[in-house]
Each structure stands twice: as structure tokens, then as C-alpha cells.
Amino acid sequence: MSEPHLVPFEPESWLESFAKVVKYKEEHGNCIVPRRWRRDPALGEWVRFQRRQFRKRQLNRRNHNMTDDRIRKLEAIGFEWSRSMLPGTVVAMLEKSRLDAIMDCEPPSLDLHFA
């Protein structure tokens, strides 16, 4: 029984897409490529796919292509593995509040006001 083809990104195209993310970071200062980026919609999907492959690897699923080498390359450029922890998200703000409170030895304030 052979394994099915797992992913649409071959090694050569992975490196090409990685180079595009590096260029994006040079231009924008981060690796947070919008999923539907008008200039290169496929790049946003590629970034999303890398996060999904990383998550599958963390869960010990066999159907991923996230290698140690790819993780090192992505982390070297400051790739964000979780969208929920990106700056400006509610989860990131709560986590920062919690960490600030720990550093100040005070309980975190969860006083959230939604307008």
C-alpha cells in the first residue's frame, strides 16, 4: 500500500515560496502575509499551509511535510506559527496582559470592553 501524495508543494517550489516570504518580510517587516494578498494570493495560502503542516507535525500526524530544515528556515526569518498569537489579536493581547501581570506580580485584569 503506497502513501498518497500528501502536499501540493514540491521542494523546489517550497524554496521559491520561502524566498517570496523573505522578500515580503523585507518589504513589510513581518511574515504575516494576508491569506488573500492581492499581489500574490498563492503566497498567503502557502503561509497558511505551512502553519497547518507545522500543527500536524506537533500532533504527530504522519501526513505532513514539515521537516526540521523547513522549521529552522522559517523560524530564522521570524515566521509566526500561530495566527492567534499574532500582534493585535485578542488572544495575543490577553496573553500579554497575563505576562505583564506575572512580571508585576499582580493578577491580570480581564476587564474587556467591546464597543
Side-chain angles (χ1 to χ4, degrees):
M1 188 172 181
S2 67
E3 294 226 10
H5 184 64
L6 303 175
V7 295
F9 297 105
E10 299 299 325
E12 296 81 23
S13 65
W14 191 95
L15 290 172
E16 291 170 9
S17 296
F18 175 76
K20 289 180 181 181
V21 172
V22 170
K23 184 172 172 54
Y24 181 93
K25 182 174 182 177
E26 290 170 358
E27 293 176 11
H28 301 277
N30 62 56
C31 301
I32 309 169
V33 181
R35 184 169 172 200
R36 292 183 180 97
W37 189 37
R38 286 185 181 185
R39 203 157 102 196
D40 188 349
L43 187 60
E45 285 298 325
W46 184 86
V47 166
R48 180 174 175 252
F49 186 76
Q50 300 314 301
R51 288 187 182 120
R52 205 168 47 233
Q53 294 300 298
F54 181 74
R55 195 167 38 255
K56 284 181 178 184
R57 179 183 165 137
Q58 287 182 311
L59 296 172
N60 292 319
R61 296 201 180 139
R62 292 186 306 177
N63 62 338
H64 70 80
N65 72 344
M66 186 53 64
T67 64
D68 290 342
D69 184 54
R70 289 178 177 183
I71 291 170
R72 277 192 294 276
K73 282 181 166 71
L74 290 165
E75 287 184 345
I77 63 168
F79 190 83
E80 295 84 1
W81 293 112
S82 173
R83 285 182 44 128
S84 66
M85 292 307 293
L86 296 177
T89 64
V90 172
V91 173
M93 289 185 286
L94 287 172
E95 184 65 16
K96 181 177 179 340
S97 172
R98 187 179 72 78
L99 290 174
D100 288 347
I102 290 169
M103 296 303 288
D104 293 338
C105 297
E106 296 175 14
S109 171
L110 297 178
D111 186 22
L112 299 174
H113 298 282
F114 296 99

